[in-house]
Amino acid sequence: MPGTPARTADTGSVPPVDVVCLGESMVTFLPSRPGRLADVPSFSRGIGGAESNVACALAAAGHRAAWVSRVGADGFGDHLVEAVAGYGVDTSAVRRDPTRPTGIYFRTATDRGTDVHEVAYYRAGSAASAMSPDNVPYEALFAARVLHLSGITAALSADCLALLRDLTPPRPGRPLVSFDVNHRPGLWRDAAAGPGVLLDLARGCDLVFVGEDEAEEAWGLNGAEAIRAALPGPAVLVVKRGAEGATVFSRTGGAVAGEAGDGAADAGAADSGRADTGRTGTGRTGTGRAGTGRTDTVTSVPALRVDVVAPVGAGDAFAAGFLSATLRGLGVRDRVRHGHLMAAAVLTVPGDLTTPPSRARADALAALDDEAWGRLRLGPGWTGEEQEVRTT
């Protein structure tokens, strides 16, 4: 069943961690006021990284989360490890590199009128870019119910790509592998090769997140059905459709256990049995044929209306909300709704991370009927227990 702990390959015991996230995190410098980077006089320090964002959000939501990476033996590395651990994330498998620096980046405040912003990365040759199958502790990666990866890591270096190529193919005893495509053309030294690499990696994973817009940019695919046809392998495919919401393809009738680890069987094959079949509106479902000849349950859930402060980190928060609900064994509709709620929490603050709504509050909102869900409008401060949620 979804959320049932996988068994570790060596001992048969329940993994001590719900989700382990592998990837680079950087120290982030946020502007003191709007304007060009050339004009901003000062910055405040934060942290940012797709995978550590997911780990922090999951830990803040009450799950056992770990982050695995490499950072420099420098002050910025100290800050990253301490800040991520401050969210309740296990950082014991983060390695320090005495010869390479911790990555940093600067960004401007988003101009809400034009959506113009700048980001300046200083991550080339970073400690995390040296991650490889030879220096990453696999015992930490496999000691979890879910291993969460993203395409950003594959773009950092040849060694990082080799690591993801080793982790994504199905193999006995591995955790369920969750993969956020995160296509970032500017990170690839060979920009033309990136899309094909990401498609190959995604095909081997159990749960895949991809934006409809990035699939069109990277692969020339138009629409959720075309994306599913190109990615028939994952037991669960989540296509994020921006303001339109998200569409989930969850496999039914497939022998998933024979294709991936025990975790994939738990969270993949059983998804369809909890897919809220027969709902309409907010939880619209249907059936389709996956490219493997298996039947998909297709569930579409509209997005929330949100008063956006800054768009950064929303995709990571959505993945965390979806994974959180998956770990709890909730139905597909509610997994998507929890993704939308977690994303709304981040969209209404300036940085990549925030305190999510309490589980009780999120569950209450996710359980609303279709009409009430459609009338929600969330703005800054909505996650506070004392804050009344607006409807329109």
Side-chain angles (χ1 to χ4, degrees):
M1 297 297 290
T4 301
R7 299 285 176 175
T8 55
D10 55 346
T11 65
S13 60
V14 175
V17 176
D18 292 323
V19 181
V20 60
C21 302
L22 168 76
E24 180 172 36
S25 189
M26 293 171 289
V27 173
T28 311
F29 290 93
L30 307 175
S32 57
R33 63 174 175 80
R36 301 184 309 155
L37 283 177
D39 300 327
V40 174
S42 60
F43 297 81
S44 61
R45 185 181 64 176
I47 62 172
E51 301 84 4
S52 62
N53 285 348
V54 172
C56 290
L58 284 167
H63 298 283
R64 302 165 301 167
W67 172 53
V68 175
S69 188
R70 292 174 68 85
V71 300
D74 50 33
F76 287 145
D78 294 341
H79 174 65
L80 268 179
V81 174
E82 292 168 6
V84 172
Y87 281 86
V89 176
D90 181 348
T91 60
S92 60
V94 176
R95 300 293 184 253
R96 310 303 291 264
D97 190 323
T99 64
R100 294 172 179 264
T102 304
I104 64 173
Y105 75 96
F106 296 77
R107 68 173 176 84
T108 56
T110 300
D111 183 332
R112 292 180 61 185
T114 63
D115 199 32
V116 173
H117 60 281
E118 299 171 73
V119 181
Y121 289 102
Y122 299 90
R123 72 196 305 179
S126 69
S129 71
M131 289 189 295
S132 77
D134 296 326
N135 61 25
V136 168
Y138 274 50
E139 66 277 9
L141 301 181
F142 280 55
R145 290 163 59 180
V146 178
L147 170 61
H148 181 71
L149 310 169
S150 96
I152 293 174
T153 303
L156 297 181
S157 69
D159 282 343
C160 284
L161 176 55
L163 176 61
L164 261 65
R165 286 195 186 280
D166 194 48
L167 292 172
T168 51
R171 70 169 83 178
R174 73 160 200 199
L176 181 149
V177 174
S178 165
F179 183 73
D180 194 334
V181 171
N182 264 329
H183 179 228
R184 300 289 186 269
L187 288 180
W188 290 88
R189 293 184 180 180
D190 183 355
V197 169
L198 293 174
L199 190 62
D200 287 344
L201 293 173
R203 283 172 171 162
C205 298
D206 307 307
L207 165 59
V208 172
F209 300 94
V210 63
E212 197 170 43
D213 55 347
E214 68 180 338
E216 183 173 4
E217 178 186 21
W219 305 322
L221 300 174
N222 188 9
E225 293 287 348
I227 298 169
R228 182 50 158 171
L231 287 170
V236 180
L237 172 66
V238 183
V239 179
K240 298 175 290 183
R241 302 169 55 229
E244 297 300 313
T247 296
V248 179
F249 297 84
S250 49
R251 182 178 302 150
T252 61
V256 182
E259 301 169 359
D262 297 337
D266 292 332
D271 265 349
S272 55
R274 294 174 171 261
D276 301 313
T277 304
R279 291 186 185 271
T280 59
T282 304
R284 272 203 305 273
T285 63
T287 58
R289 301 298 295 178
T292 57
R294 301 179 180 92
T295 302
D296 272 339
T297 296
V298 185
T299 307
S300 293
V301 181
L304 291 159
R305 286 175 290 176
V306 180
D307 296 331
V308 177
V309 172
V312 293
D316 306 330
F318 179 92
F322 191 95
L323 286 170
S324 173
T326 298
L327 289 164
R328 296 172 58 203
L330 303 185
V332 173
R333 186 206 68 166
D334 288 352
R335 296 181 194 194
V336 180
R337 284 189 171 189
H338 276 274
H340 287 323
L341 289 164
M342 195 80 87
V346 169
L347 287 169
T348 50
V349 298
D352 291 27
L353 293 166
T354 188
T355 301
S358 69
R359 183 171 291 184
R361 187 173 179 82
D363 283 346
L365 292 174
L368 291 173
D369 62 37
D370 294 350
E371 181 182 358
W373 176 265
R375 289 190 288 108
L376 287 177
R377 187 179 187 100
L378 304 179
W382 74 269
T383 58
E385 294 297 323
E386 72 287 348
Q387 183 78 19
E388 184 176 350
V389 175
R390 290 183 292 157
T391 58
T392 58

